[in-house]
Amino acid sequence: MVSWATPDRVTEQVADAVGTRSELRYARDVETVCTVLSKAADPCLIVVVPADSNAPWWNELRRVRREFPLVPVVALALAGSSSLQAAWRLGRTEVSELVMMASTLDAEDLRIALVRVHADGVVSRLWARAGLRLPDPLVTVVRRALRLAHAPFTAADLASITQLHERSLRKYCERHGLPSPQQLVGWTRLLLAAYYLDERGRAVTEVAELLGFPTPDALRKLIVRYTGHSSTVLRRVGALDDIARRLETAVHGKIPSADLQLVRGGARRPGTR
């Protein structure tokens, strides 16, 4: 994670928000920013909204966005040092999250923003690497679920993000031969765990902690239950590819096009809440 030209008065809050799980680097110039981003495994850029909406810094930011288009950017708008015009310009075109501060930086607000953009970035990279072939509506469900999967969540949470009652989602899955909502929760958590297990140097204990499993054994048991493999074997065969192919195999039903609205955040079925 790179904090670019952060004022001294907020560096402590930035460090508090990032915590100890991620490496935080401070950079004062664009060359250092590009160098650090090119070497980081899971980068994120923190910038401060400038006072001038036409300063030369904007050309430097455009260079960074051009060279690293997938790196999420979190912008901090600080009272007394950031202009509203510059905040509007950043929010419209350049950043993933814009954190507005009335007087001082709130480390918790920044932490929430960082967690959100991190989850979005991981989902995009995971999806590109896995090459999952799923029916379109299920793609929507799984991608939304992956945003929740850095922490434990339930079938009721899954139903909520599809704007359905849990019972309605369960019947929908049964009718079309899909894994149950509870199974989809497990597959989603497992996809994310596999993504991290494929990263060199990531121990099972670290992945379990990162995803909020109560113990490393809980993650190991989930892997065995869904694959029959140990975590060691799963790594050896390619964790993400193996889990993705197993999920595809588990999806037997074909979702009719007439039901597409159901799980795309659009219309609900009559009688659902």
Side-chain angles (χ1 to χ4, degrees), residues 136-154:
D136 285 347
L138 197 58
V139 168
T140 304
V141 173
V142 173
R143 285 186 69 104
R144 289 180 182 177
L146 281 167
R147 297 187 69 192
L148 304 177
H150 278 87
F153 70 106
T154 66

Side-chain angles (χ1 to χ4, degrees), residues 123-174:
V123 170
S124 295
R125 291 189 292 274
L126 183 157
W127 206 263
R129 293 178 191 175
L132 273 167
R133 297 178 294 273
L134 301 174
D136 285 347
L138 197 58
V139 168
T140 304
V141 173
V142 173
R143 285 186 69 104
R144 289 180 182 177
L146 281 167
R147 297 187 69 192
L148 304 177
H150 278 87
F153 70 106
T154 66
D157 296 323
L158 182 65
S160 178
I161 63 174
T162 63
Q163 299 186 2
L164 288 173
H165 189 282
E166 183 180 356
R167 183 174 59 254
S168 299
L169 180 60
R170 184 172 63 251
K171 289 181 178 179
Y172 180 82
C173 291
E174 290 173 355

Side-chain angles (χ1 to χ4, degrees), residues 45-49 73-77 90 95-100:
L45 181 62
I46 302 171
V47 301
V48 174
V49 178
V73 177
V74 176
L76 311 177
L90 267 172
V95 303
S96 310
E97 290 282 336
L98 180 62
V99 182
M100 305 290 290

